[in-house]
Structure formats: structure tokens, C-alpha cells
Amino acid sequence: MQLKIMPKKKRLSAGRVPLILFLCQTISALEVPLDLVQPPTITHQSPKDYIIDPRENIVIQCEAKGKPPPSFSWTRNGTHFDIDKDPLVTMKPDSGTLIINIMSEGKAETYEGVYQCTARNERGAAISNNIVIRPSRSPLWTKEKLEPITLQNGQPLVLPCRPPIGLPPAIIFWMDNSFQRLPQSERVSQGLNGDLYFSNVLPEDTREDYICYARFNHTQTIQQKQPISLKVISVDELNDTIAANLSDTEFYAKSSRERPPTFLTPEGNASHKEELRGNVLSLECIAEGLPTPLIYWIKEDGTLPTNRTVYRNFQKTLQIIQVSEADSGNYQCIAKNALGAIHHTISVTVKAAPYWIMAPQNLVLSPGEDGTLICRANGNPKPRISWLTNGVPIEIAPDDPSRRIDGDTIIFSNVQERSSAVYQCNASNEYGYLLANAFVNVLAEPPRILTSANTLYQVIANRPAFLDCAFFGSPLPTIEWFKGAKGSALHEDIYVFHENGTLEIPVAQKDNTGTYTCVARNKLGTAKNEVHVEVKDPTRIIEQPEYAVVQRGSTVSFECRVKHDHTLIATVTWLKDNGELPNDERFTVAKDHLVVTDVRDDDGGTYTCVANTTLDDVSASAVLSVVDVPNPPFDLELTSQLDTSVQLSWTPGDDNNSPITKFIIEYEDAMHEAGLWHHQAEVSGTQTTAQLKLSPYVNYSFRVMAENSIGRSLPSEASEQYQTKAAEPDKNPTAVEGLGSEPDNLVITWKPLNGFESNGPGLQYKVSWRQKDGDDEWTSVVVANVSKYIVSGTPTFVPYLIKVQALNVVGFAPEPAVVMGHSGEDLPMVAPGNVRVNVVNSTLAEVHWDPVPLKSIRGHLQGYRIYYWKAQSSSQRNRRHIEKKILTFQGSKTHGMLPGLEPFSHYTLNVRVVNGKGEGPASPDRAFSTPEGVPSAPSSLKIVNPTLDSLTLEWDPPSHPNGLLTEYTLKYQPINSTHELGPLIDLKIPANKTRWTLKNLNFSTRYKFYFYAQTSVGPGSQITEEAVTTVDEAMASRQVDIATQGWFIGLMCAVALLILILLIVCFIRRNKGGKYPVKEKEDAHADPEIQPMKEDDGTFGEYSDAEDHKPLKKGSRTPSDRTVKKEDSDDSLVDYGEGVNGQFNEDGSFIGQYSGKKEKEPAEGNESSEAPSPVNAMNSFV
């Protein structure tokens, strides 16, 4: 038996270790080359339960491999089988397979029994399963006399089959004398035992040839039972049958009336079923009743497994595939008809023959190594594990000091060559057994690579590539892969290395092309092998065939343009419906396309373009639908002709392979619009008649068109003409309106009726009107077929009631609806009064006014309009045009807001009322002024003329002062070499200045400046800038020299030693209970790192707890005058945090500063963004 292991995968990260597979010291499931010494391995054997055909020779297979080649022996029924003593038995050369010649003489029954094969060489012995040999049997039915059966209509019936017991069991089916299967249904069906069940019989069940057949597949024979005769009679026939045939006829006298279900099988209310794990669980319930019952299945306290449940035999049989222990439980079948329901519970228990959890695997060990054989199995009941060595129970086998048994595990330690053997694990319970051979082979072999050298792997890009490196060695070699002539080890994480030595490139790319070397190493030597990889471009269909719907007789073309690797040859094949193209000259295959001319109905289908190379293939498909618009309907006929309706019928034309979805009916009015066809109605594509509503005074002709998914057919021939009688109009004009075009008129308009709607000759309109709020009678006038009438001499903007009625020579249309209109509008007469302005702030004002009287509006009020403008300066007054802004407020509002005003400005406004005619007179002008606001930021800020201790600032005033500037505020603070911010200095500068020089600054120091202007309202937006004073090179040089002097270093060391001594003394005195004047020493020698508490706010100065990390304790605190703007947010923890090489500008943009260094808060004074010292570098690893 050959044992294999599924390969595992290991990924190694790039840049860490070479891509090497480190395997355990034992070779698990490894194929040992046949030229090496090894114990026997069974490679092929007959099945455990071996049913033979008694008409053929018996062949019992047993094949094995090993070095030296194994010898074979057999046992039969537990004792040695001496084949030399039986002339009918021979063994194949170099094999253990037995051939028993029973065709010349002898009987198969003579050789029934349990056989077991043993393959043995100097390293051990392997044994086969116990092979049970049994000849197949297909016995005949026993002779029996079957009496005819007579039943009353509706009674139940079971026709027994009871086939003879054969080996293997027969397949049962019922047929008649003509070898035609008898029809089965919910009423009549065959049970699992082969019997034929009738829930109730019917007269058509009467026949004389109900025959049960048993087919024995192994011997290819069919046996049949004697025919059974059945006669179903009615109640009247029953009496005659009783009188004439009672003596020799089996008779069932149950009532044929309707009845609730009862079970024919199984019997009773409950039963039990036992099945083995992995088999098919079959449960059956068959019921009788009238009417025929239906069967339903449920599982109590659970659900049926949907993916493994199958219903057969009209749901009378429930099957569960691959049954497991979890399927144990109670299953209930329910039989139900109109008169009632019954149920039967089947308790299912699933047992299990032994099955492997972990089968033992071959071990190849090097002398002195350790290893284990593990044999784990499960079953129900739990199987018993027993071990054998070389076919002998391990308890009585020769002792081996290198092995120790621990239940299901054999542990080997410090093995030697004599430890080689074949071990058998047997797991058995009452339902079966498992037997597995696994050898222990102790070898000392240098590595060898079993894969052929210089193998060429051609792979397609973006697909996985697998480079084989089958290997062997003992001890187990390590495998390493290299690429290229220089032998660089593979260590990129794009590779996957399998335990069997295979190198996987998950997604091959062009740069993976090249030579790869596999190296196997153990302590006895090294072996290597080269393979070559070529990565090819994938084959692609760059222009695919597309779905086509074409009309019959046209030409269709399918494109298929292929792109492939230039080193490969591509072939393109066309298929129709996954088969070859028809052998027809209408099909033309060119390089990049397929053309089908004169398309026919049978050309429809799926066309597939397949592009093949030696490495890959790709395909694309498209469907061709051959269709056409329907043929026109014909045979139009008018019936049921009435004054207001008529029935139209027709015959559909051919739908041309696309179902007709609807019919469209059109009409022509030869009297009013001859030659014009109008839509009349639509009906479903399944109808061929339509009841049509007609209008009076129309000379109708009809035609019909059919429509499918392709389009609309041509119109049918026109029907005969049919003219309807005249009648009074049944509708009035629509869209009636009354609007004045002048202040003294009323224009009444409407949409007139068309000729089809007139319903008769002499169409006219009766136009009526009167004032809405007066007591006047209606004034009416009859006009010709027009669409407008003008009433003159009306008062201005007065509401009128209006109606327009249609009439013809037959009579009037129904009473029309009344609509309201107005006579003409005029301009408003009065301006809004009491205009008031409330200045909300420097950019917003609220305007109030009193509404004008409604009568003075003289039209539809549309709203109020505010005109406002800014007062011009003396330099602007020469301009002719004053820019006025307008805001309109809809409806009757009496106030509104004016946004977007400029601070510190003078404005004028007036208000007017608006109607449909236009604006009324303006109110008196109203002047108002906006207060001062805060200024914008200064237009620019530059630092010029830097010296050792001074900087000069130049700026431009704000572009929008929004008031009178009172002063400028300049705030600045130094930034030291560790990017800490120093104290913030506040300086006030007169408003008339644009330049300022700061003196007494520190040399070679960076400063940050915050600059903004102020009005009396408050500070405006700020602008920030940074600059550095110049460097005193001599002083810088002296500082460097001092820091590198030996005396300075010695002094620092002495100070450190003194501090250490003081700490030790302090510790000793403290432990002795002595007192140490800490407070006095702290007062005398204040730590320079700790600053005094501020008096003004009680906070600490520069010091901050390391856990605080708050931004800018002192120098960057928000000024008390609340002048911090968006730019002040630059001084935040984000700006001065580690790892950020830059800051945010005043406009929010990010700019680099200080040669890549960053400012820091005073609270972060102990941190530095400069290169760390060696001590810091070491601490960073803690």
C-alpha cells in the first residue's frame, strides 16, 4: 500500500533567511528509490469482500515492491496455503497474485474462504487484508401457485415479490409480459423490499401479468416470478363474483368508501433503523387510504441536511447520503389525505466501522535517529488498536530495544540497521477492521535528486509555476533553491516552498525567467539539479464575439482577434453549440472572424471561439438569435356594429421566431383627416379580437399591426369603413384662462376642440363672463370655431368668473366648469412707507417697511424689491454709473436682511412694491452706516537686514482695514537648538509705521514673529514669519574648542564621581535612620531644570510633566487680548512632535524648516530630533 502526505507550505519573508525547507529528521511518506534496500510494501490487493463469478477463473491479487524483491506466501482460513500441492493454483512470476483455474475443472465453492498474502524480504514482511472469497449466486424462484386476486374498487393491495437470496442481492423491478415497466405513481409504487404497494386500486389496474423480476448484475442474469393476476370490480360485479368464484378466488372484502390513511409499511407507530457511517440511510413509509395519501418527512429536534437529503419513490423514501453520527435521532413520516393524518417514528442509530484519524506512515531513519509510528482510528463502538511486526503480533515478536509501545504509538530511539521492519496496525470493532502496513527502514544515504536534470518549464504569465525537486537521503536532506549563474539564494516572499522540494512561484512574471538550482544537503553529502523557466505571455482574445440578433436572410459576422506569445503558435477553432460548425458554404472562417451569410432559423445558437497554444487556451462565446418582425395580420372583420362601439377581429401573421407581445390598432377618419392614422387601442399578443369605443360623426377605417421584441410588422390591409351618427359635443374646451393684456380689458382664451371631438357639424363656442364680486348677470356671446375673445372696457384688475361651452347643430355640450380670471393689471400707485434700517453688525443690516394697501397694488402682488448702494468717495463721484444692488423678497413680507455689507461704510436704500405689470414708485432714500470691524491681516511681512543682535521688519498695511487702525501688535519668541520655544515678547507699534527694528537680540538665534493690526473693535488676522540673527564665528569656534578640551572632560568626570559618592552617603544615612537636609540643599542648589511657579496664574514655567505634553506652557500661551487666529494653531503639539520635518504656514500649507529639524514645545525640552547618542541608541532597543 502506497502512502502519501499532502504537502504543506511555508512562506519566508524577504531579506531574512534563504528560502530553505527545514524538515523534521524523519522522512514521512517518502518514496524510497527502488535501488536502495527497503522492506516490502503492498502496492495492490483484491478487495476485502471479493465476490467472484463462478464461471471464470479466480484471480486473487497481491502485488508488492521492495529491495531485495520480496517473496510471497498465502494463508487460507488462518493456515498456510500450500499452492504447490494444488495443480489448479498458480502464482504469477515476480508477483504474489494467485490464479485458480476453475474453468477447466473444479468448482468455485471449493475455494471459498479467507485469504491473506504475505510479502517478505530480509528487511521485514508486509501482509494484505483478509480477503474473503465468495462466488456469486443467482438462484431461481421456487415454484409456487399464485391464485388470481379479485378486489373491490378503492381497496389497498400489496403484491409480494420475495425474491430468492442471491449474492450480491438482486435488483428488483416489476414488468409485464412485454418487458415494459409497470407505471408507478403516488398511488402505486415499489417498496425497498421489492413488493408492489397499491394505496387503493382502480379498474385500470386490472391485468394478468404483474411480474416481479430479479436482476443479478454479477452474473448478468435475470430471474422472474410467476405472473400475478389482478381484477378490480365494482360493487355490482362483486355480488356475482362472490357467488361464482368464492371457492377458488382469494377475496378481499374491505370497504371501498373513502377512509383516512393507514401504513402498509412499516407496521405500528414506531420502529428502529441502524446504519453504518458513510452509507446511504434509506427510510420508507408507504400508506394506504382513499383518496391517496401524501407522505411528508421531518426530523424531531433537528432539521434534515439539505445538501445530503434525497426524496425518492414519490417521497415515500427518504435517503440521507454519507450518513454520519450526527444524523442519529428520530425521524417522523406523516401520511395525510383529506380525511386525516397518521405518523410513524423511526429511531435511527448510526454506527461506524473503524475509520482512520491518522494511519501509520513509512519511516526512513538514519542510524541513531528517533522516530514514531502513530495509528489512530475512530468508530462506533471505539475500535481496538493492535500492533504486529512483520505479520506477527508484537507481543510475541522478537524484542527490539529501540522501540517502545505507548497505546496507539510506537516510539523509536537510537535505531540501528537491525531495527528495520514492517509494522502492521489493526483497528477493529464489530462492524469491521482497518489494516495498515508501515515500514521502518534504517538507511545512511547521501542526498540524491530524483527530478530529471535541465528540465524546461514553460509557464504562462500571472499563473503559478511549480518547479519539481524530488529528493531522497537519510538523514533527511535540507532543500535550498538558487536562481541565476551566480547562485544567489532565493529569499523573496514571492516564493512558496513545499515539503516535497517543489518551488512554487504563485504568480509567474517575466523576470522569473531563468535557471534555478535545487540543492539537497545532509551530513553525508550534497546533490544539486538545474531546471529552466520560461515565462510566456498569456493568450488573450482582444476582440470577442458579441451577442447578435439578426433577421432571417441577413449576414452576421463574429469577431475573434487573438493576441499570444510570439514564441508560441496559436490555433483558432470555431464551435457551434459546443460542436463542429455545419458543413455549409454559408459559413466562412477567416483569420479573425466567422461570417454566416443568408442566415436561417436553424443557424441560431451559441458560437464559441477557442484559441489554443501548447500552454494555454482561452475561449469566448456569443449567442446568435435569428428573428424577424411579425408578418402583418390579415382577414380584418367588423362585427357587433353599434353607434358607440364595434368589435374588430383579425388573424395573426407568422411571429418569425419571436413571440408577438401586442397588437396595435389604428383608425383613419376619412371625413376629417383623410390619410392620417391615429392610435386607437393596444391588446395583448394572445388576443385576436378587440371591442373598440367609437366617437360620433366619424367615418372609421381600422388597421392592425403586430409587435414582437424585434419590431413592429407592416400594417394590415384597412378594414371596411364604418360611419357613426352625429351627436352633441361630449366635452368642452380646455385650458380656459382670463387675463388682461391692457388695464381696461379681459382676454378670454381656450384650447378649441378638433374635428374628431366636434361630434357633428357647425361647431361653435358660447363664451360667458361676469364680475366675481358683483350681482351682475352672465354676459354671453356665441363665437365661431376660434380660440380667443376680448372683453373691453373693464375696470383695472377686477376678478371675473368665466366659462366656455361647445355646441354644434345637434346641441350643447355639458355645462362647463367656471374658472376665475382678472382684467388687466396696472403699475402700483403707492410706495412702501416707514422704511427702517437696523444695523445688525458690520456686514449685516435688517430692513423693515410697512406694506402698501392692496388696492393700490392694482395687480398680483409679487413681492417687494430693495435697491441699495454704497456712498461714493470724492474720487468715485466723477463716475456716471452708481452700482446698485437689488434684493427681491417674494410675497407679502415686510422685512428682509441685507448681507455682505462692507464694514465702516455708508449706504443708501429704498423699497418698491412689485406686481405683474412692474414696479411701483420708490420709497424715500434711507441712509445708514456700518460700524467698524476687525482688519484683515497685514498684506505682507518681511525681515530684512539681519545682524548679530538685530532684525528689521517691513510690512504693508491690511488691504481691508475695516476701520481706523489704532496700532500694530508684534509678538516674538526665540527658538533654541533643541527647538524649544522661549518666552513670548509683546510689542505695540504705532499705526502709522511700516518698518520696525528689533535690537538687543541674541546672536545666531532663530525667532518666530506674530504680527497683526488692530482697530477699536479688536485685533485682526495675524501673519507669521521666522528669521535668524547672524553668527559670531569666533565665539562659536571657542565654544567648540572648550567642549573638546581634556581638562573640561576631566572636570565633568570629577563632578559625576562626586555626585555618585553623595548619593551613596545619602543612601547609607537614610538606612541608618539619620537625617539628610534635603530641603536645605534643594533651596541652596536649585535644579536648573525646575523653574519657579508663576505668580500670575499659579502654573509652572518651562517644566512640564513628561506625561502632559501640552503645547506651549508659557511662550505660546494664548494672549490675554484674544488675538490668536488660525495661524496661532501652528504652535501645537502636532507642529513640534517628533518625526515631522516642517510646519504649517499661515494659510495652512506645509513648509519645511530648519534644515529638516522641527520646533518643539518647552514641555518637550528633554527630547531632541537630532541624531541620538550611543546611549540613546542603546536605550531605544529596550
Side-chain angles (χ1 to χ4, degrees), residues 459-463 483 505 507-514 516 533-538 564-568:
V459 297
I460 296 297
N462 299 319
R463 295 187 182 180
K483 180 184 178 185
I505 306 174
V507 183
Q509 302 295 334
K510 284 288 189 178
D511 57 3
N512 295 126
T513 299
Y516 292 77
V533 175
E534 291 181 359
V535 182
K536 308 291 187 180
D537 290 326
H564 60 90
D565 192 282
H566 69 280
T567 62
L568 301 176

Side-chain angles (χ1 to χ4, degrees), residues 373-393:
L373 282 180
I374 301 175
C375 177
R376 289 180 185 158
N378 202 359
N380 185 12
K382 186 75 174 176
R384 184 177 64 87
I385 303 295
S386 60
W387 288 96
L388 297 88
T389 175
N390 296 326
V392 178

Side-chain angles (χ1 to χ4, degrees), residues 243-299:
N245 302 315
L246 186 59
S247 60
D248 58 357
T249 302
E250 185 178 357
F251 177 71
Y252 299 90
K254 291 185 178 180
S255 173
S256 63
R257 293 178 298 178
E258 291 188 347
R259 59 190 179 276
T262 58
F263 282 113
L264 296 175
T265 185
E267 298 178 351
N269 295 325
S271 59
H272 182 263
K273 174 79 171 182
E274 188 175 283
E275 190 57 79
L276 289 182
R277 179 181 186 270
N279 290 350
V280 177
L281 172 66
S282 296
L283 305 178
E284 180 181 59
C285 281
I286 301 177
E288 64 93 2
L290 189 66
T292 302
L294 298 180
I295 304 295
Y296 304 92
W297 293 89
I298 61 172
K299 183 180 181 184

Side-chain angles (χ1 to χ4, degrees), residues 546-805:
E546 296 181 351
Y547 172 75
V549 177
V550 298
Q551 293 188 12
R552 186 174 48 217
S554 60
T555 297
V556 64
S557 176
F558 292 108
E559 298 293 325
C560 183
R561 194 178 303 277
V562 177
K563 185 177 181 181
H564 60 90
D565 192 282
H566 69 280
T567 62
L568 301 176
I569 298 175
T571 58
V572 177
T573 305
W574 284 92
L575 305 175
K576 180 181 183 295
D577 297 328
N578 294 324
E580 295 183 357
L581 290 177
N583 187 14
D584 193 326
E585 61 183 9
R586 297 181 300 109
F587 290 79
T588 304
V589 177
K591 179 182 179 182
D592 297 325
H593 57 275
L594 167 67
V595 178
V596 184
T597 59
D598 189 21
V599 174
R600 303 172 185 170
D601 291 339
D602 57 358
D603 293 333
T606 300
Y607 289 82
T608 304
C609 162
V610 182
N612 289 283
T613 67
T614 55
L615 298 181
D616 65 342
D617 62 81
V618 64
S619 64
S621 299
V623 175
L624 171 63
S625 296
V626 182
V627 293
D628 204 350
V629 299
N631 293 343
F634 54 93
D635 288 346
L636 272 66
E637 183 180 3
L638 296 176
T639 57
S640 302
Q641 298 177 356
L642 302 175
D643 288 344
T644 59
S645 67
V646 68
Q647 180 171 288
L648 174 66
S649 60
W650 63 90
T651 302
D654 194 322
D655 65 4
N656 292 326
N657 298 323
S658 181
I660 296 173
T661 56
K662 63 181 177 180
F663 291 99
I664 298 96
I665 304 170
E666 295 182 338
Y667 72 90
E668 176 195 29
D669 182 2
M671 182 185 304
H672 300 102
E673 296 177 318
L676 293 179
W677 289 88
H678 303 276
H679 183 271
Q680 171 74 23
E682 291 183 3
V683 297
S684 163
T686 59
Q687 290 185 230
T688 56
T689 61
Q691 193 73 23
L692 306 178
K693 292 184 179 180
L694 306 179
S695 295
Y697 198 57
V698 177
N699 191 7
Y700 283 101
S701 293
F702 299 98
R703 68 182 187 184
V704 182
M705 293 173 287
E707 187 174 291
N708 62 12
S709 60
I710 306 306
R712 185 173 294 183
S713 71
L714 295 173
S716 66
E717 296 290 334
S719 69
E720 60 181 307
Q721 290 188 345
Y722 177 62
Q723 182 170 343
T724 55
K725 297 179 181 179
E728 65 273 6
D730 54 14
K731 61 187 301 185
N732 286 302
T734 57
V736 177
E737 290 185 344
L739 296 172
S741 60
E742 298 295 336
D744 60 350
N745 72 6
L746 172 65
V747 179
I748 303 173
T749 58
W750 62 90
K751 181 181 178 181
L753 306 179
N754 57 35
F756 180 83
E757 298 169 329
S758 65
N759 288 0
L763 178 64
Q764 293 179 305
Y765 300 101
K766 178 183 178 183
V767 183
S768 305
W769 69 91
R770 70 179 177 87
Q771 285 192 27
K772 177 177 179 296
D773 299 327
D775 296 330
D776 298 342
E777 296 293 330
W778 287 93
T779 302
S780 301
V781 63
V782 175
V783 298
N785 188 9
V786 294
S787 62
K788 180 172 69 173
Y789 183 76
I790 300 176
V791 180
S792 302
T794 63
T796 300
F797 196 66
V798 173
Y800 278 86
L801 299 179
I802 304 164
K803 57 184 179 178
V804 180
Q805 186 177 24

